[in-house]
């Protein structure tokens, strides 16, 4: 276990990794998570973050550190598709990784006592009534299931409802849209789970999409990543980031090679707007979201735009 204190945007934060949580035997690997939280403060809202394909608990520092510095406790599980685990397509668990990813997020929620106990000084400081899920790319689809999205089966029927009443807000970053004809033949053949139904995704959610995010998995353009906003009911917000590709300016990490659109300005926009959204959605500061949206609208050269409903 390592404990590290980071320089933060507003307040000192502490990050502990790896924390090992109980999980089902059929997972076959320990569920390891990173916990990042403010060094001080009480009644901390919780964000459970699902990484993109191949990533791990060590990614997404630009978002995670910022959220923690702004008063959130962030828990990041390492899913079975992580490059750090080396699972191959011939592994018996491989076809179920999408479902095991969901189980990982639920396991975090089931074991928040263990999360608190693993971090010195965190015990009794988490607010169990203020929980959000967030995710990037495949992690966005994983997070969306706890918000009420479902996966359509081969006959087009919605699968199991995996929503979780403990989760009251979400942030979906560069999250894939609908399946079927919107997938390339390769994606349709290899990723049957990429067939989401957003009709039941009623939990308040901020969807973040780049207007230059062109996926090799979809026959559509960047608008595909706005589907979770347009096709779900209830209170939703869409942040479109100008010029952003799939890394959204660099949220997976500092100076990572997969970032093709590096832009501190884009990252700062997502930091600011996502934090404001979560502060309002989780009842920390009712006016935070409205003020952030107004500030963006008044900017002389805005880095993005917001739609709400």
């Amino acid at each position: 276990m390592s404990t590290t204190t980071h320089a933060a945007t507003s307040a000192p934060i502490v990050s502990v990794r790896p924390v090992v949580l109980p999980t089902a035997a059929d997972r076959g690997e320990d569920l390891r998570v990173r916990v990042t939280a403010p060094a001080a403060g009480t009644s901390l809202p919780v964000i459970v973050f699902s990484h993109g394909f191949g990533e791990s608990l060590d990614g997404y520092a630009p978002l995670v550190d910022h959220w923690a510095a702004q008063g959130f406790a962030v828990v990041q599980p390492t899913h079975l598709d992580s490059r750090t685990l080396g699972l191959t397509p011939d592994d018996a668990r491989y076809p179920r990784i999408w479902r095991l990813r969901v189980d990982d997020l639920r396991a975090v929620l089931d074991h928040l006592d263990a999360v608190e106990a693993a971090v010195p000084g965190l015990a009794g400081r988490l607010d169990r009534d203020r929980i959000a899920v967030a995710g990037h790319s495949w992690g966005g689809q994983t997070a969306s299931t706890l918000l009420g999205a479902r996966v359509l089966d081969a006959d087009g029927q919605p699968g199991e409802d995996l929503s979780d009443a403990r989760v009251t807000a979400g942030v979906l970053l560069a999250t894939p849209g609908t399946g079927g004809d919107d997938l390339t033949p390769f994606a349709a053949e290899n990723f049957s789970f990429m067939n989401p139904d957003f009709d039941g995704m009623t939990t308040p959610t901020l969807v973040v999409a780049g207007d230059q995010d062109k996926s090799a998995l979809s026959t559509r353009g960047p608008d595909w990543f706005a589907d979770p906003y347009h096709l779900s009911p209830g209170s939703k917000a869409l942040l479109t980031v100008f010029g952003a590709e799939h890394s959204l300016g660099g949220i997976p990490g500092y100076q990572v090679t997969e970032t093709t659109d590096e832009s501190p300005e884009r990252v700062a926009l997502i930091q600011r707007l996502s934090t404001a959204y979560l502060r309002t959605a989780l009842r920390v500061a009712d006016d935070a979201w409205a003020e952030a949206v107004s500030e963006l609208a008044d900017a002389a050269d805005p880095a993005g735009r917001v739609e709400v409903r």
Side-chain angles (χ1 to χ4, degrees), residues 207-233:
V207 176
V208 181
D211 69 359
Q212 297 300 313
D213 190 353
K214 300 172 184 177
S215 174
L217 300 178
S218 176
T219 58
R220 290 168 53 193
D223 66 300
W224 189 51
F225 294 97
D227 282 357
Y229 170 78
H230 292 295
L231 301 180
S232 62

Side-chain angles (χ1 to χ4, degrees), residues 259-276:
T259 299
T260 56
D261 60 336
E262 185 174 4
S263 168
E265 181 184 26
R266 293 177 192 130
V267 173
L269 173 68
I270 295 168
Q271 290 172 331
R272 186 169 65 254
L273 269 291
S274 64
T275 299

Side-chain angles (χ1 to χ4, degrees), residues 94-214:
Y94 209 84
R96 298 185 295 119
I97 284 181
W98 77 269
R99 182 63 173 79
L100 293 170
R101 276 174 149 263
V102 179
D103 292 344
D104 291 347
L105 301 191
R106 298 176 76 91
V108 171
L109 298 179
D110 291 342
H111 298 291
L112 288 177
D113 286 343
V115 168
E116 284 193 346
V119 181
L122 189 60
R125 295 172 56 209
L126 299 185
D127 189 337
R128 313 300 177 88
D129 294 324
R130 296 179 179 180
I131 297 176
V133 292
H136 174 242
S137 193
W138 192 7
Q141 181 172 356
T142 304
S144 75
T145 60
L146 273 69
L147 301 171
R150 298 164 79 170
V151 174
L152 299 175
D153 63 21
D155 297 323
Q157 298 302 309
E160 183 181 0
D161 180 1
L162 301 172
S163 60
D164 195 307
R166 293 172 290 186
V167 176
T168 55
V171 176
L172 304 181
L173 301 137
T175 298
T178 53
D181 292 340
D182 290 342
L183 297 180
T184 61
F186 173 83
E189 179 179 353
N190 292 279
F191 307 120
S192 60
F193 60 84
M194 291 184 66
N195 199 13
D197 174 17
F198 298 109
D199 287 348
M201 197 177 82
T202 57
T203 307
T205 301
L206 170 64
V207 176
V208 181
D211 69 359
Q212 297 300 313
D213 190 353
K214 300 172 184 177

